Amino acid sequence: MAGPSKEKKTLQMTVQTVWEARKSIQSVVKKTPLIHSKKLSAQYGATIYLKYEHLHESNAFKMRGAVNAINHLTAEEKAHGVTTFSTGNHGLAVALAAKKMGIRACICVSKHVPTVKLAAIKELGAELEIYGEAQDDAEQRCYQLEKEQGLAVIPPFDHPHVIAGQGTIALEILEDLPQVDCVIGGLSGGGLLSGIGLVMKQTNPDIRVFGVSMEKGAAMHESLQAGKTVSVTEESTLADSLLGGIGSNNRYTFQMTKNYVDKSFLIPEHSIAKGMAYLYKEHHIMVEGAAAIGVGALLDELLPIDRQENIVLIISGCNVDGVSHFKAIESYI
């Protein structure tokens, strides 16, 4: 697998880095609401909040990291344009950020990325390359474009400015809920929970951070279990945004996830569908499986949660096709 040719030195990640990211993105990325879920709290016996990251213009939290990373490019790099590899949401974020800045963007995806996300990327005017059976294949093509055309690679997770951008979610949570006890979010490449975990653990080591993934193709979960980065086979799942490898040359998110995420859990497809249906019925939002996976895990009591805690669930995105969404959840409505 190809690797990045630039930024060979591993940068030190700190909470200050995240505050710098907040200032960097504030003109483009707006704060999202933290919603108290009264019914879920009553049903589960805890105080539960939902962080509405699906309300970003790109319909997912990925906008934070994409904007921060592109803002740190030089003028020369911006003139050449950017490229990335993605399971969809990061590609959408990079395409939108590039459009706002007048920069060329080429998004590389595998054959498993849903059609609704491909169409959205095209609508933003970005170039789209569908390459291979897995995100690792799309990554390889991405670095080919860097070498051949000089495009700057904006990785989807294993990049300090991307991680710092996602970490701004934690700053907002602490502003609105200083007494937070536990944060639960989807675990894929680890960019989301690396940034959130960094801020939470350095603020208060007792704040717990849980990662949730689908049962098959959970690369970070399997890597954590093995104690080293491993490759997994991608399979169809309602939580398609959580697919993708973490890279054999991973420099940031594997170690940060190991350091800052207390535990990761595998969640079955029926629980993910149940979470999607619950958010549609009770909160009137149509979100993708990766956004509802934490809710589903709570509904089926798959997580070791103290009933007296203040819990925040990251509702990560809503880039989902309406027809397929209802087919997935119809038996739970």
Side-chain angles (χ1 to χ4, degrees):
M1 183 192 308
S5 61
K6 301 176 182 178
E7 197 181 44
K8 294 181 180 179
K9 183 179 179 180
T10 299
L11 300 179
Q12 181 65 35
M13 296 290 299
T14 66
V15 175
Q16 182 179 353
T17 312
V18 180
W19 278 106
E20 291 169 352
R22 181 168 183 173
K23 184 172 180 61
S24 169
I25 69 176
Q26 64 184 0
S27 64
V28 178
V29 180
K30 304 306 179 185
K31 182 179 179 179
T32 59
L34 187 67
I35 305 298
H36 177 224
S37 178
K38 294 181 180 179
K39 187 160 186 177
L40 189 57
S41 296
Q43 182 172 338
Y44 200 76
T47 305
I48 298 175
Y49 296 84
L50 309 177
K51 181 63 170 167
Y52 272 16
E53 285 296 293
H54 66 290
L55 295 182
H56 289 292
E57 192 174 350
S58 66
N59 299 327
F61 75 94
K62 291 282 191 176
M63 195 69 182
R64 296 174 183 268
V67 171
N68 190 45
I70 293 176
N71 278 344
H72 280 83
L73 296 177
T74 65
E76 182 180 359
E77 288 171 327
K78 290 178 181 177
H80 281 93
V82 296
T83 183
T84 194
F85 50 101
S86 172
T87 53
N89 285 339
H90 178 68
L92 274 167
V94 170
L96 179 57
K99 181 178 180 180
K100 287 179 174 292
M101 300 177 195
I103 298 170
R104 176 193 173 196
C106 182
I107 314 301
C108 301
V109 300
S110 77
K111 297 177 181 178
H112 289 283
V113 174
T115 303
V116 63
K117 295 181 180 180
L118 301 181
I121 290 171
K122 289 179 181 178
E123 287 176 6
L124 290 170
E127 300 166 34
L128 182 66
E129 290 207 19
I130 302 174
Y131 191 88
E133 296 293 334
Q135 180 170 274
D136 286 351
D137 299 322
E139 178 183 4
Q140 184 178 29
R141 176 57 181 156
C142 189
Y143 284 110
Q144 287 177 350
L145 291 172
E146 178 191 43
K147 183 177 180 180
E148 296 168 2
Q149 301 182 28
L151 300 180
V153 177
I154 309 295
F157 52 87
D158 195 38
H159 187 285
H161 298 314
V162 172
I163 295 168
Q166 322 306 25
T168 61
I169 296 171
L171 299 181
E172 294 178 10
I173 291 173
L174 287 167
E175 280 183 341
D176 293 342
L177 188 68
Q179 66 274 33
V180 59
D181 295 302
C182 181
V183 179
I184 301 167
L187 179 60
S188 179
L192 172 65
L193 294 187
S194 289
I196 289 176
L198 167 70
V199 174
M200 293 300 177
K201 292 298 187 180
Q202 291 193 17
T203 298
N204 178 0
D206 290 333
I207 298 173
R208 292 185 296 164
V209 179
F210 288 156
V212 281
S213 304
M214 61 277 152
E215 288 187 317
K216 297 180 180 179
M220 183 62 80
H221 175 89
E222 298 299 336
S223 295
L224 292 172
Q225 295 297 308
K228 61 181 180 179
T229 60
V230 298
S231 298
V232 296
T233 300
E234 294 183 16
E235 298 188 29
S236 179
T237 173
L238 291 171
D240 57 89
S241 295
L242 301 183
L243 289 173
I246 68 170
S248 59
N249 61 339
N250 187 290
R251 293 182 297 146
Y252 295 96
T253 60
F254 175 67
Q255 190 60 46
M256 290 181 72
T257 301
K258 185 177 180 181
N259 291 345
Y260 299 132
V261 175
D262 292 275
K263 194 169 182 180
S264 63
F265 302 85
L266 298 182
I267 310 303
E269 291 295 304
H270 67 82
S271 296
I272 300 173
K274 188 181 295 185
M276 295 168 74
Y278 187 92
L279 289 171
Y280 177 75
K281 289 190 297 181
E282 305 300 339
H283 284 270
H284 312 294
I285 56 175
M286 183 184 295
V287 301
E288 54 195 90
I293 189 170
V295 174
L298 283 186
L299 291 173
D300 283 343
E301 300 190 357
L302 301 176
L303 305 179
I305 296 299
D306 186 329
R307 294 301 200 267
Q308 304 303 313
E309 289 187 324
N310 293 301
I311 302 165
V312 174
L313 298 168
I314 308 299
I315 308 302
S316 55
C318 63
N319 289 305
V320 62
D321 176 73
V323 175
S324 61
H325 182 281
F326 282 111
K327 286 182 179 179
I329 69 173
E330 59 184 351
S331 62
Y332 297 97
I333 295 179

